[in-house]
Amino acid sequence: MQSSDHDSPAGGGSLPTSPVAASTLKIQKTRHTLNDVSSSQLFQSEATLPYRRSHPSAASLYASTLSPPASRSQSPVGRPAASRIASGSVFGVGVNNALALVSGAGDSPGDPLNLILRAFVPHVAVYTSEDTDILLREKGFERGLWELLRPFGERVQGKVIIRDSNGSSRSYEDYSIHFVQFGEGIVHPESVTAGLKSAQALRTNGVSEKSGEPGRGQPKQGIAISDVEAVVDRHLNYAEESFFSLPQSPTSHGLNIDMPSPYYALYLRRLLSGLPLTPHETFAHPVACVIAISSRNQTPIETLRRLYTESSTGDKRLPNWVDAEFLRYYVLVHEEERDDITRSMSLFDQMKRNLGLHCHLLRIRGTQSVATDDDSIPLPRSEWMSASEELTDIRRSEDQEDFEDPTRYIFESDATAIRTFIREMVTQSIIPTMERNVSVWNDQVASRRRGLAGRLSGFTKRWGFGSSSRSSFAGQSSGSNYDSLGFYRQDAPEAIMRKLADYAFMLRDWKLSHSTYELLKGDFSNDKAWKYYAAANEMAAISLLIMPQNLSAKSRTETIDSSLEYAFYSYITRCNAPYGALRCLALGLELLRLRGGSSIDDAAKWGTRLLESKILGPVGDALIKERLAVCYASREGMGTQLWGGRRRKSALWSVLGADAWLVQSKYIQAQRCLNEARKTYSELPSGNGIEKFSYASAFLLGIGKQLNQNLEAGEQHDGSDSEDQSDGVDEESEALDVRGRRISTLGLPGGVTGATLETAPLKAQLDASEEEKQDTGGAKDDFG
């Protein structure tokens, strides 16, 4: 579908993807056409954020969906807004723009590709002494140094130069790292027998995640889909409770192809946030650990050695499937206002002599900063907090009457010092260490597996030739390194190669990562390590889709489709891991859509498969239907008739999305989807739309009528708030009744009774007068 099809019918510019909220002030009785209010006026009103019905101090909790799309860079310099989709023939893949997509991903914070690049990044653990925790609590950070550093790691200042396995260097300005608390988020694997019994019991009792409640709490499995759903639902409810005091409703806009809805971006971000520390993938395994003491410490060197010992061999050590040889980075936190800088400098030199060059002196002020200080700046709220953490904060704001704004302030000098510290650590220690490890592992482990000797070794391992005579366990081959407890030990070749592939992915060396994942798939399948196998297939597909190379339809079928299929089947059936299945198909859908051409049809196929799996909750179900509408809309057609386009399918999924939102009483989102469906149908080259499809048309009108009734009921409930609003000009549109109330631009009143909200079969009754006007020769069972 051409990009112009989704612009405003009057006026240029990209319309916002969704109403960021609705104000508690009543929408004014003034009515205007779309010409009267420009998108820039909408953004300006959104940025002002007037009074809200919810707790005023809770506004910052919803900032991720309240920030207007205009505040994000939608049209980066040198890259048109519509170039996020690879162009080419509608019947095949044309010019591949994958490299351009990756290069410009950092300019669009809500873009799915940008979210993927910022989710799978190096994780840096933080382990501090008691005196450092006390110092940070005095500054107002109850969770210590980790809470202070976390927001700054989400965007490393300046360019970060990374060298790939071929020796080529590339610079990135959107690189990031994730700070985590040392030893938290560990998810221990199930043993082979326990996993088999659990999966069998779930299938026997009929309570599998596939057919039961969607993702209802799997805390021991890591991220719970129910928490992600609950967070996005809270943001949607916050928007429904309030309306901005605009002379027009922000719901008059439709969907946006170039930029996802802020709620969908939030859904993906929370799905990828807080990755648990698991054995089957090493993205959350610490690449480095910040060991910090403060200048108050009386025995600094001894304390640093104790912290190192505790994190390596002591009670705080990580499980034996985590490589303990990660980088240690020692930090001395100097308090500017109370401690002697001369003593701290002397101690810092002593640290470098005893512990090596991976050290830093962080100079910060010890007093707590407040908003009224001259040089104070607000500490941004972390965009990559886990869903459970954000849900806890939101619930606290709902339960506590004296809830305070969680925004913290720091001195500008502290912010500058922290940015310098993070950049120095990343560019001089973390990246070089990762590059060196990738080179060593690739030469010593992976390269042996790529040759003839490595293939013969894999063959003999598979069939047990030359191996010990110990009996196989649970179907494993006798030469397997897979432990019966459900993991590979850290020194096993399979574990090292998985870490090699993940490191290469985090360093954006897609070719090396993909080839390594492909090698691992066979090993994991032979060992029946199904969660490892599913994760390897998932990342093999993702790395290949990001890789800047052309993919024919045959290649997609043989590689990407098979990898996604194996990953999805193993996650759902063999591992009972709905989160992995959801992440796999959601990311595959978005990356296939960005490739354009016939890949869009494959993306829609996997989105439909995700809906059919029933692992989504109601919010996720509606969001995926929205994305399917956008997916089909981004398929461009040829000629004046736009042959090869998918405009009717896009409109159909917009209708289904409106229906899904209406069931959840999310009227703003429902109206957006309904607006988009009407707009798409009205712009079809045939000019017929769905007027000749009686039942589809009646179903559409029924949804609009229900929206009008609910929106009008909301107005009457808040009528006292709008008594002082000025009278305005009636909107000129044939599709509207000119009445003194806000009405959906699509809900046309007529002789149509309320249509049922079930999407199949479509049943909507027309009155006798309408039935006589219908064309008896028209189809009556679909949307055209």
Side-chain angles (χ1 to χ4, degrees):
M1 184 175 184
Q2 295 177 347
S3 59
S4 60
D5 293 337
H6 288 264
D7 290 341
S8 171
S14 177
L15 293 176
T17 56
S18 75
V20 279
S23 154
T24 48
L25 294 175
K26 195 68 192 95
I27 285 188
Q28 297 176 355
K29 298 294 184 179
T30 308
R31 305 169 58 81
H32 293 267
T33 63
L34 289 177
N35 290 334
D36 298 329
V37 180
S38 66
S39 59
S40 61
Q41 290 173 325
L42 175 66
F43 297 146
Q44 182 179 4
S45 176
E46 290 169 346
T48 57
L49 297 181
Y51 167 78
R52 300 184 176 283
R53 181 177 304 165
S54 300
H55 200 294
S57 299
S60 62
L61 300 178
Y62 303 94
S64 58
T65 50
L66 290 178
S67 58
S71 65
R72 306 162 187 165
S73 178
Q74 296 190 56
S75 301
V77 177
R79 179 173 60 87
S83 69
R84 297 300 296 165
I85 299 176
S87 60
S89 169
V90 294
F91 298 110
V93 177
V95 179
N96 181 28
N97 289 334
L99 185 59
L101 294 178
V102 174
S103 301
D107 300 320
S108 304
D111 185 84
L113 178 57
N114 175 64
L115 294 178
I116 295 172
L117 296 180
R118 295 178 62 196
F120 300 106
V121 297
H123 283 55
V124 179
V126 179
Y127 192 39
T128 58
S129 61
E130 295 80 1
D131 51 279
T132 308
D133 294 335
I134 294 174
L135 171 61
L136 269 296
R137 279 196 292 268
E138 293 176 357
K139 280 185 67 69
F141 298 96
E142 294 297 328
R143 288 179 282 186
L145 183 63
W146 163 73
E147 184 182 3
L148 175 63
L149 298 179
R150 180 168 63 162
F152 293 97
E154 294 172 1
R155 184 94 181 205
V156 178
Q157 187 180 33
K159 293 182 179 180
V160 176
I161 300 176
I162 301 176
R163 184 181 304 170
D164 62 19
S165 56
N166 296 323
S168 303
S169 298
R170 288 184 60 86
S171 62
Y172 300 95
E173 296 185 359
D174 61 340
Y175 203 75
S176 61
I177 60 175
H178 289 173
F179 286 101
V180 296
Q181 290 179 301
F182 183 80
E184 291 197 358
I186 299 176
V187 177
H188 294 281
E190 290 185 349
S191 64
V192 175
T193 54
L196 293 174
K197 291 179 180 179
S198 175
Q200 182 179 5
L202 287 171
R203 288 193 296 269
T204 303
N205 297 329
V207 293
S208 172
E209 292 289 345
K210 181 177 180 180
S211 58
E213 288 295 315
R216 288 295 177 256
Q218 290 287 334
K220 67 178 181 178
Q221 298 291 337
I223 300 175
I225 300 177
S226 58
D227 288 345
V228 179
E229 294 264 340
V231 167
V232 181
D233 186 65
R234 291 297 207 286
H235 281 255
L236 287 165
N237 289 337
Y238 190 76
E240 291 289 335
E241 289 175 357
S242 48
F243 280 97
F244 293 113
S245 52
L246 274 180
Q248 76 161 55
S249 168
T251 61
S252 61
H253 304 302
L255 303 178
N256 191 323
I257 295 180
D258 299 327
M259 209 61 177
S261 158
Y263 305 105
Y264 181 72
L266 175 66
Y267 190 89
L268 275 187
R269 189 182 298 112
R270 290 296 167 261
L271 198 66
L272 300 173
S273 299
L275 295 178
L277 193 65
T278 58
H280 67 276
E281 61 181 16
T282 63
F283 291 110
H285 292 206
V287 171
C289 178
V290 173
I291 298 179
I293 61 171
S294 73
S295 52
R296 300 177 180 179
N297 197 291
Q298 300 300 319
T299 56
I301 301 299
E302 291 76 5
T303 301
L304 289 172
R305 294 187 185 278
R306 175 178 59 83
L307 294 176
Y308 173 82
T309 303
E310 290 177 356
S311 63
S312 301
T313 58
D315 296 337
K316 300 291 185 178
R317 70 182 183 276
L318 298 175
N320 56 358
W321 38 264
V322 178
D323 186 5
E325 299 301 321
F326 47 83
L327 172 70
R328 265 67 173 192
Y329 198 89
Y330 301 95
V331 176
L332 173 61
V333 182
H334 171 73
E335 185 181 358
E336 291 277 22
E337 297 162 334
R338 298 182 183 177
D339 293 330
D340 183 10
I341 185 60
T342 304
R343 176 180 177 275
S344 295
M345 292 294 292
S346 175
L347 175 58
F348 181 63
D349 292 336
Q350 186 181 359
M351 288 171 55
K352 289 190 290 184
R353 287 194 302 269
N354 288 272
L355 303 172
L357 298 178
H358 299 295
C359 301
H360 188 86
L361 175 61
L362 180 61
R363 301 171 62 175
I364 61 176
R365 298 173 62 176
T367 56
Q368 183 173 353
S369 176
V370 294
T372 55
D373 291 336
D374 293 336
D375 58 344
S376 69
I377 59 175
L379 181 68
R381 186 171 172 82
S382 174
E383 296 180 3
W384 290 92
M385 65 174 61
S386 65
S388 59
E389 181 184 353
E390 182 174 6
L391 187 60
T392 300
D393 292 341
I394 292 176
R395 286 172 175 167
R396 187 182 302 114
S397 70
E398 295 171 346
D399 297 339
Q400 297 179 1
E401 293 293 336
D402 55 346
F403 179 77
E404 296 181 358
D405 189 344
T407 303
R408 297 288 180 266
Y409 292 86
I410 61 172
F411 298 104
E412 192 169 359
S413 58
D414 293 348
T416 302
I418 294 173
R419 293 191 192 100
T420 303
F421 154 60
I422 293 177
R423 173 167 178 77
E424 179 181 317
M425 179 178 64
V426 170
T427 58
Q428 298 181 15
S429 296
I430 292 180
I431 296 298
T433 300
M434 294 179 68
E435 292 173 345
R436 184 170 56 254
N437 288 335
V438 166
S439 178
V440 171
W441 296 333
N442 190 30
D443 292 340
Q444 297 182 0
V445 182
S447 60
R448 297 179 181 178
R449 293 293 315 281
R450 295 189 179 99
L452 178 61
R455 296 184 181 183
L456 289 175
S457 175
F459 177 80
T460 56
K461 172 186 171 183
R462 178 177 181 180
W463 297 104
F465 298 138
S467 62
S468 62
S469 59
R470 63 186 180 92
S471 60
S472 61
F473 181 77
Q476 295 172 252
S477 61
S478 57
S480 172
N481 293 317
Y482 189 54
D483 197 289
S484 61
L485 296 177
F487 61 87
Y488 291 94
R489 297 183 63 87
Q490 58 175 326
D491 55 351
E494 293 84 354
I496 295 175
M497 290 178 62
R498 172 68 206 211
K499 189 159 56 172
L500 164 64
D502 290 347
Y503 272 38
F505 192 95
M506 291 186 286
L507 293 176
R508 304 186 182 184
D509 189 349
W510 319 117
K511 185 176 181 179
L512 177 60
S513 64
H514 175 259
S515 63
T516 310
Y517 288 129
E518 288 292 334
L519 280 176
L520 288 170
K521 285 159 59 175
D523 292 343
F524 295 151
S525 177
N526 296 336
D527 294 341
K528 294 182 172 53
W530 297 124
K531 185 166 284 191
Y532 284 85
Y533 178 68
N537 276 281
E538 174 192 5
M539 297 311 300
I542 292 174
S543 57
L544 182 58
L545 285 170
I546 299 178
M547 195 186 308
Q549 71 176 31
N550 291 326
L551 289 175
S552 63
K554 182 179 179 182
S555 298
R556 289 199 309 272
T557 302
E558 294 177 351
T559 56
I560 295 176
D561 285 0
S562 61
S563 294
L564 291 177
E565 178 63 37
Y566 291 146
F568 182 76
Y569 176 80
S570 296
Y571 274 133
I572 288 292
T573 306
R574 293 164 169 164
C575 306
N576 186 38
Y579 165 75
L582 171 57
R583 188 183 75 176
C584 170
L585 293 194
L587 300 186
L589 182 157
E590 293 299 333
L591 292 175
L592 282 167
R593 186 188 72 85
L594 286 176
R595 282 192 168 263
S598 59
S599 298
I600 292 178
D601 291 328
D602 290 342
K605 177 188 69 175
W606 290 112
T608 306
R609 178 75 175 276
L610 184 57
L611 293 175
E612 293 172 350
S613 67
K614 303 298 182 182
I615 61 177
L616 293 166
V619 173
D621 180 84
L623 289 173
I624 293 297
K625 288 175 180 177
E626 275 191 9
R627 293 307 290 172
L628 285 174
V630 171
C631 187
Y632 279 123
S634 55
R635 178 71 183 265
E636 296 183 354
M638 296 178 61
T640 57
Q641 297 297 316
L642 299 178
W643 299 109
R646 302 290 186 267
R647 307 176 78 179
R648 285 189 180 274
K649 287 188 176 182
S650 174
L652 168 61
W653 283 107
S654 293
V655 173
L656 297 180
D659 181 40
W661 288 123
L662 188 60
V663 171
Q664 303 174 55
S665 300
K666 303 294 189 296
Y667 305 121
I668 293 177
Q669 305 304 312
Q671 192 170 5
R672 286 178 55 251
C673 291
L674 200 57
N675 290 346
E676 184 65 23
R678 284 288 187 184
K679 180 174 178 290
T680 304
Y681 279 129
S682 67
E683 294 175 350
L684 291 175
S686 63
N688 293 329
I690 59 169
E691 287 79 5
K692 293 186 177 181
F693 300 90
S694 58
Y695 281 85
S697 181
F699 180 75
L700 209 61
L701 292 174
I703 294 179
K705 184 175 181 180
Q706 291 189 44
L707 275 174
N708 288 335
Q709 292 172 350
N710 286 285
L711 291 173
E712 184 178 8
E715 289 190 353
Q716 294 174 356
H717 182 267
D718 291 338
S720 58
D721 295 333
S722 59
E723 293 297 333
D724 56 347
Q725 301 296 333
S726 60
D727 295 330
V729 183
D730 288 336
E731 181 176 358
E732 296 179 2
S733 173
E734 355 179 287
L736 287 175
D737 259 339
V738 182
R739 290 183 280 182
R741 65 176 179 88
R742 180 170 63 88
I743 186 172
S744 165
T745 58
L746 305 175
L748 306 181
V752 183
T753 61
T756 175
L757 296 181
E758 295 295 331
T759 58
L762 302 176
K763 293 182 179 179
Q765 302 297 327
L766 299 176
D767 62 5
S769 61
E770 280 291 328
E771 279 192 8
E772 292 175 358
K773 297 179 182 178
Q774 299 298 328
D775 184 0
T776 57
K780 298 179 181 295
D781 59 350
D782 58 24
F783 282 83

